[in-house]
Amino acid sequence: MQKRFFLRTVALAALCGASGLSLAQDNAFKIGLILPMTGPFASTGKQIEAAARLYMAQNGNTVAGKKVELIVKDDTGTPDVTKRLAQELVVNDKVGVLAGFGLTPLALATAPIATQSKTPLVVMAAATSSITEASPFIIRTSFTLPQAAVGIADWAPKNGIKKVVTLVSDYGPGIDAEKFFKDRFLFNGGQVVESLRVPLRNPDFAPFLQKVRDAKPDAVFTFVPSGAGAALMKQFSERGLDKAGIKLIGTGDVTDDDILNSMGDVAMGVVTSHHYSTAHNTPTNRKFVDAFMKANNNLRPNFMAVGGYDGMHVIYEALKKTRGAGGEALLNAMKGQIFESPRGPMFIDAQTRDVVHNIYIRRVEKKDGQLWNVEFDTIKDVKDPGKAR
Ligand code: DHB
């Protein structure tokens, strides 16, 4: 009798335990955040993870009655690894969103997983124009290189820069930057005398910069991915290009805010166009920068952090709208969102699923002993020019 009672109690407890568990699972909403946390692009991963955690700390981890769980995975910047991790996150962890994607090839490798599993995929970093066309489940909160490149292509010829050599990393975003800079610069009456492409991995800029020097242009237009700008700037100065009167211009990736101070005075006066500067002077951004620096040992948030922060915002707002439902409903709730980001006004174009935002022209200036990308002109509400092809 006692034994039977014991067994019944155990069975009941097991049943409650099991249903308790499934209840907890139903009440969780998991975000699989795949980022390069190690290797040459680790700064991108560090910035985005920190921004996502800040967003959750500020906005709580319960949305529409669901407990939001962030699962961070390190893909080391290798496309096969990103794809495998995404598959595991969808199948084993049952994530409702895939997010992150520090480089273009990582996003492109994973796009088929999003399509097949109908899982919204939020691109927070990668910036080749065509990425959003790789799956109807992709939404982008970073930027596109055509958006960033045309700003400086309009500014340069009006400011005495007529003859340019382009120097870009040899993969998707570099090729977009080269093409869209060149087309607009030629349209504006400029001349591109040479187009150089450097390897993405372990680039040695020196021989390319020597070629730039020999061509005697007014300026070199550059795109390198986040984190690589300091090495380029160092060799630019070591090769004496600045002394030879050659200016450096580019998209804002090269004067990346989190490493700008380490570049030294050679960076002073460099003009770039980009969608985000840590120095963007609005209350929303100042609040974001202060909180980010406080939580991360004074690390400055760069444009990668903003892509991550805004990506979390898009996910949270979509979840509120669907009352916690995922899949296609969640994707649809991400489309068309309009909000005030630390970068300025931001819009997710419902047709292209790509970001529309301001592009700012900025100059590196020293203030209080520190270097900043100081914005001095704004091109409003720029849609991706790459989508018009
Ligand atoms: C990409 C990566 C970067 O670090 C960057 O600054 C811009 C684009 C990319 O791979 O898409």
Side-chain angles (χ1 to χ4, degrees), residues 41 44 101-105 125-128 131 140 143 145 171-173 200 223-227 253 256 274 303-304:
F41 305 103
T44 295
F101 306 97
L103 295 161
T104 289
T128 301
I131 288 173
R140 171 155 41 202
F143 73 108
L145 261 306
Y171 77 122
L200 171 62
F223 163 80
V224 287
S226 182
D253 312 71
D256 204 339
H274 221 42
F303 62 96
M304 292 300 181

Side-chain angles (χ1 to χ4, degrees), residues 155-156 159-165 209 212 216-222 233 236 240-250 266 268-271 363:
W155 180 84
N159 290 275
I161 296 171
K162 303 282 183 199
K163 183 176 157 186
V164 163
V165 173
L209 289 169
V212 173
K216 297 190 172 63
D218 299 322
V220 54
F221 165 84
T222 68
M233 204 65 86
F236 179 81
L241 274 78
D242 50 343
K243 309 255 165 7
I246 299 170
K247 293 200 162 56
L248 191 146
I249 56 173
V266 62
M268 295 257 293
V270 169
V271 177
R363 183 181 286 108

Side-chain angles (χ1 to χ4, degrees), residues 44-118:
T44 295
K46 184 177 179 180
Q47 286 274 346
I48 293 178
E49 181 185 3
R53 295 209 185 279
L54 175 64
Y55 189 89
M56 292 180 71
Q58 291 175 329
N59 294 278
N61 58 4
T62 306
V63 183
K66 300 235 173 190
K67 188 165 179 299
V68 178
E69 265 177 52
L70 199 64
I71 307 177
V72 180
K73 298 281 183 190
D74 176 15
D75 64 12
T76 72
T78 313
D80 290 351
V81 179
T82 320
K83 187 177 182 183
R84 176 176 55 74
L85 290 171
Q87 206 144 18
E88 288 169 8
L89 285 165
V90 167
V91 174
N92 302 341
D93 298 292
K94 315 246 177 316
V95 297
V97 168
L98 291 165
F101 306 97
L103 295 161
T104 289
L106 314 179
L108 292 178
T110 311
I113 309 275
T115 309
Q116 285 152 22
S117 65
K118 297 191 189 300

Side-chain angles (χ1 to χ4, degrees), residues 133 146 172 178 185 236 293 313 323 343 355 367 383 385:
E133 289 154 29
E178 178 191 283
F185 191 62
F236 179 81
M293 289 179 70
H313 183 79
R323 296 174 200 275
R343 74 185 79 184
V355 55
K367 281 191 178 161
K383 280 183 87 159

Side-chain angles (χ1 to χ4, degrees), residues 4 12 46 62 86 100 136 138 191 208 238 250 271 305 317 338 381:
R4 204 185 301 150
L12 204 67
K46 184 177 179 180
T62 306
I138 292 181
Q191 189 193 0
F208 296 96
E238 279 173 8
V271 177
E317 290 305 308
I338 300 178
D381 302 329

